[in-house]
Amino acid sequence: MELKKFLEDMNNGKTVEANSEELLYCGYLTQEALKITMKINNEYHTQEEIQELFAQLTGQPVNKTLEVIPPFHTDCGKNIHLGENVFINAGCKMQDQGGIYIGDKVLIGHNVVFATLNHDENPEIRGALHPKPIVVGDKTWIGSNSTILSGVTIGKGAIIAAGAVVTKDVPDNTVVGGVPAKLIKKIDIDKQE
């Protein structure tokens, strides 16, 4: 299988059947990602060196405004898309087969999990995987120990409270928190300017 075809299938939400060619390719990409994340996580690197390693990990250019505090973990890497001025704090985990799209000026706290795959509900085919993207809008702050689940879009300027489990879309300029995350309040932009 070629990377282009794999990403096309994932980005179109194609089910990954157990013991399929796609699942074998997931395993191959995991091994490639482990090699690069081991370098990121087990040696000291300047931010410029981390940016270079992220470019290898994602297979695409990474802008010079990316800042990452290791450790960082992913089991794919090739479907991570980062905007400008993104900050990723220590312990972030991205399961990105379904696609993770991070906007500009996004802050990601310690130990945040992005999970773009779900297993099938039917126990007879539980090994099947269903990819759906996660989209994070510009100027979003995702608090420590949050989990963002597949298919979720987080609006611009939103705040995800620490420890939240986000199962549904989050509107622009809102604060959500809890398990599952619920609206806490709307952010009044006019008051802050």
Side-chain angles (χ1 to χ4, degrees):
M1 172 160 267
E2 294 180 1
L3 179 60
K4 182 178 178 182
K5 171 73 168 126
F6 174 79
L7 292 176
E8 183 179 291
D9 288 349
M10 295 301 100
N11 292 335
N12 287 321
K14 181 181 177 187
T15 298
V16 178
E17 303 291 342
N19 303 315
S20 66
E21 182 181 12
E22 288 88 0
L23 191 60
L24 290 172
Y25 196 70
C26 281
Y28 167 76
L29 291 175
T30 296
Q31 294 306 307
E32 292 299 308
L34 284 172
K35 291 175 190 175
I36 298 168
T37 57
M38 286 293 288
K39 289 179 186 176
I40 292 171
N41 297 334
N42 293 302
E43 300 174 7
Y44 171 77
H45 298 284
T46 66
Q47 284 303 309
E48 292 80 14
E49 292 168 334
I50 289 175
Q51 291 161 0
E52 289 174 19
L53 288 165
F54 255 75
Q56 291 175 29
L57 182 65
T58 62
Q60 54 191 313
V62 174
N63 69 69
K64 299 300 180 189
T65 61
L66 174 65
E67 187 173 352
V68 178
I69 307 296
F72 174 85
H73 302 278
T74 183
D75 56 0
C76 180
K78 300 302 186 218
N79 215 357
I80 297 172
H81 310 274
L82 301 169
E84 295 187 9
N85 295 296
V86 171
F87 174 79
I88 302 172
N89 218 326
C92 183
K93 298 168 185 71
M94 292 188 177
Q95 178 195 57
D96 63 288
Q97 289 87 342
I100 298 174
Y101 301 85
I102 307 290
D104 297 336
K105 299 180 180 178
V106 172
L107 304 173
I108 299 171
H110 291 92
N111 302 314
V112 172
V113 174
F114 294 87
T116 67
L117 296 175
N118 274 326
H119 286 280
D120 202 279
E121 291 180 359
N122 181 343
E124 299 304 317
I125 56 170
R126 182 82 26 96
L129 300 171
H130 302 285
K132 289 186 183 174
I134 294 171
V135 179
V136 179
D138 296 344
K139 300 178 184 176
T140 295
W141 172 21
I142 301 175
S144 296
N145 297 302
S146 296
T147 299
I148 316 301
L149 297 182
S150 67
V152 167
T153 295
I154 299 173
K156 294 178 182 179
I159 297 173
I160 309 303
V165 176
V166 184
T167 62
K168 295 181 179 166
D169 290 354
V170 176
D172 292 352
N173 300 310
T174 58
V175 178
V176 301
V179 180
K182 293 182 175 27
L183 178 67
I184 295 173
K185 70 176 187 173
K186 293 182 180 183
I187 299 170
D188 188 348
I189 301 297
D190 295 332
K191 281 186 178 179
Q192 298 176 6
E193 293 181 359

Short mmCIF file of all heavy atoms in Angstrom, two decimals, residues 159-181:
data_model
loop_
_atom_site.label_atom_id
_atom_site.label_comp_id
_atom_site.label_asym_id
_atom_site.label_seq_id
_atom_site.Cartn_x
_atom_site.Cartn_y
_atom_site.Cartn_z
N ILE A 159 -12.04 27.09 24.74
CA ILE A 159 -11.20 26.59 25.83
C ILE A 159 -11.77 25.25 26.25
O ILE A 159 -12.97 25.13 26.53
CB ILE A 159 -11.18 27.55 27.04
CG1 ILE A 159 -10.58 28.89 26.65
CG2 ILE A 159 -10.43 26.91 28.21
CD1 ILE A 159 -10.67 29.95 27.75
N ILE A 160 -10.91 24.24 26.28
CA ILE A 160 -11.27 22.92 26.77
C ILE A 160 -10.67 22.80 28.17
O ILE A 160 -9.45 22.84 28.33
CB ILE A 160 -10.71 21.80 25.86
CG1 ILE A 160 -11.07 22.04 24.39
CG2 ILE A 160 -11.17 20.45 26.35
CD1 ILE A 160 -12.53 22.17 24.07
N ALA A 161 -11.53 22.69 29.19
CA ALA A 161 -11.06 22.65 30.57
C ALA A 161 -10.22 21.40 30.81
O ALA A 161 -10.42 20.36 30.17
CB ALA A 161 -12.25 22.68 31.53
N ALA A 162 -9.29 21.50 31.74
CA ALA A 162 -8.42 20.38 32.08
C ALA A 162 -9.27 19.16 32.44
O ALA A 162 -10.27 19.26 33.14
CB ALA A 162 -7.52 20.75 33.24
N GLY A 163 -8.85 18.01 31.91
CA GLY A 163 -9.52 16.75 32.23
C GLY A 163 -10.79 16.47 31.46
O GLY A 163 -11.41 15.44 31.66
N ALA A 164 -11.18 17.35 30.56
CA ALA A 164 -12.42 17.16 29.80
C ALA A 164 -12.29 16.00 28.83
O ALA A 164 -11.20 15.72 28.31
CB ALA A 164 -12.77 18.44 29.05
N VAL A 165 -13.42 15.35 28.55
CA VAL A 165 -13.50 14.35 27.49
C VAL A 165 -14.49 14.91 26.47
O VAL A 165 -15.69 14.98 26.72
CB VAL A 165 -13.96 12.98 28.02
CG1 VAL A 165 -14.13 12.00 26.86
CG2 VAL A 165 -12.96 12.44 29.04
N VAL A 166 -13.96 15.32 25.32
CA VAL A 166 -14.76 16.02 24.32
C VAL A 166 -15.27 15.00 23.30
O VAL A 166 -14.50 14.43 22.53
CB VAL A 166 -13.94 17.13 23.62
CG1 VAL A 166 -14.81 17.90 22.65
CG2 VAL A 166 -13.34 18.08 24.67
N THR A 167 -16.59 14.80 23.32
CA THR A 167 -17.23 13.80 22.47
C THR A 167 -18.06 14.43 21.36
O THR A 167 -18.48 13.72 20.44
CB THR A 167 -18.15 12.89 23.31
OG1 THR A 167 -19.18 13.70 23.89
CG2 THR A 167 -17.38 12.17 24.39
N LYS A 168 -18.31 15.74 21.46
CA LYS A 168 -19.14 16.44 20.49
C LYS A 168 -18.47 17.75 20.10
O LYS A 168 -17.62 18.27 20.83
CB LYS A 168 -20.52 16.73 21.07
CG LYS A 168 -21.30 15.48 21.37
CD LYS A 168 -22.66 15.79 21.93
CE LYS A 168 -23.37 14.47 22.18
NZ LYS A 168 -24.53 14.57 22.99
N ASP A 169 -18.91 18.32 18.97
CA ASP A 169 -18.36 19.59 18.50
C ASP A 169 -18.50 20.68 19.56
O ASP A 169 -19.46 20.70 20.34
CB ASP A 169 -19.07 20.03 17.22
CG ASP A 169 -18.73 19.15 16.02
OD1 ASP A 169 -17.86 18.27 16.15
OD2 ASP A 169 -19.35 19.35 14.96
N VAL A 170 -17.52 21.59 19.56
CA VAL A 170 -17.48 22.71 20.50
C VAL A 170 -17.62 24.00 19.70
O VAL A 170 -16.83 24.25 18.79
CB VAL A 170 -16.14 22.70 21.28
CG1 VAL A 170 -16.04 23.90 22.20
CG2 VAL A 170 -15.98 21.38 22.05
N PRO A 171 -18.60 24.86 20.04
CA PRO A 171 -18.78 26.11 19.31
C PRO A 171 -17.61 27.08 19.53
O PRO A 171 -16.88 26.99 20.52
CB PRO A 171 -20.07 26.70 19.90
CG PRO A 171 -20.76 25.56 20.58
CD PRO A 171 -19.67 24.63 21.02
N ASP A 172 -17.47 28.04 18.62
CA ASP A 172 -16.48 29.10 18.75
C ASP A 172 -16.64 29.82 20.09
O ASP A 172 -17.76 29.99 20.59
CB ASP A 172 -16.65 30.15 17.64
CG ASP A 172 -16.32 29.65 16.25
OD1 ASP A 172 -15.80 28.53 16.11
OD2 ASP A 172 -16.59 30.40 15.29
N ASN A 173 -15.52 30.26 20.66
CA ASN A 173 -15.51 31.14 21.83
C ASN A 173 -16.38 30.64 22.98
O ASN A 173 -17.17 31.38 23.54
CB ASN A 173 -15.89 32.56 21.42
CG ASN A 173 -14.95 33.13 20.40
OD1 ASN A 173 -13.73 33.08 20.58
ND2 ASN A 173 -15.48 33.64 19.31
N THR A 174 -16.22 29.37 23.31
CA THR A 174 -16.91 28.80 24.46
C THR A 174 -15.91 28.06 25.33
O THR A 174 -14.82 27.71 24.90
CB THR A 174 -18.02 27.81 24.03
OG1 THR A 174 -17.45 26.77 23.24
CG2 THR A 174 -19.12 28.53 23.25
N VAL A 175 -16.32 27.82 26.59
CA VAL A 175 -15.55 27.00 27.51
C VAL A 175 -16.37 25.74 27.76
O VAL A 175 -17.56 25.83 28.10
CB VAL A 175 -15.29 27.73 28.84
CG1 VAL A 175 -14.51 26.84 29.81
CG2 VAL A 175 -14.56 29.04 28.62
N VAL A 176 -15.75 24.57 27.58
CA VAL A 176 -16.40 23.31 27.89
C VAL A 176 -15.54 22.53 28.86
O VAL A 176 -14.32 22.68 28.90
CB VAL A 176 -16.69 22.46 26.62
CG1 VAL A 176 -17.59 23.21 25.65
CG2 VAL A 176 -15.42 22.01 25.93
N GLY A 177 -16.20 21.70 29.67
CA GLY A 177 -15.47 20.88 30.61
C GLY A 177 -16.33 19.73 31.10
O GLY A 177 -17.54 19.70 30.89
N GLY A 178 -15.68 18.76 31.75
CA GLY A 178 -16.38 17.62 32.32
C GLY A 178 -16.26 16.38 31.47
O GLY A 178 -15.61 16.35 30.44
N VAL A 179 -16.93 15.33 31.97
CA VAL A 179 -16.91 14.02 31.31
C VAL A 179 -18.35 13.53 31.20
O VAL A 179 -18.93 13.18 32.21
CB VAL A 179 -16.06 13.01 32.10
CG1 VAL A 179 -16.06 11.66 31.42
CG2 VAL A 179 -14.64 13.52 32.32
N PRO A 180 -18.93 13.55 30.02
CA PRO A 180 -18.43 14.16 28.79
C PRO A 180 -18.49 15.68 28.90
O PRO A 180 -19.25 16.24 29.71
CB PRO A 180 -19.38 13.64 27.71
CG PRO A 180 -20.67 13.40 28.44
CD PRO A 180 -20.28 12.96 29.83
N ALA A 181 -17.71 16.35 28.06
CA ALA A 181 -17.62 17.82 28.13
C ALA A 181 -18.96 18.45 27.79
O ALA A 181 -19.66 18.04 26.87
CB ALA A 181 -16.55 18.32 27.17
#
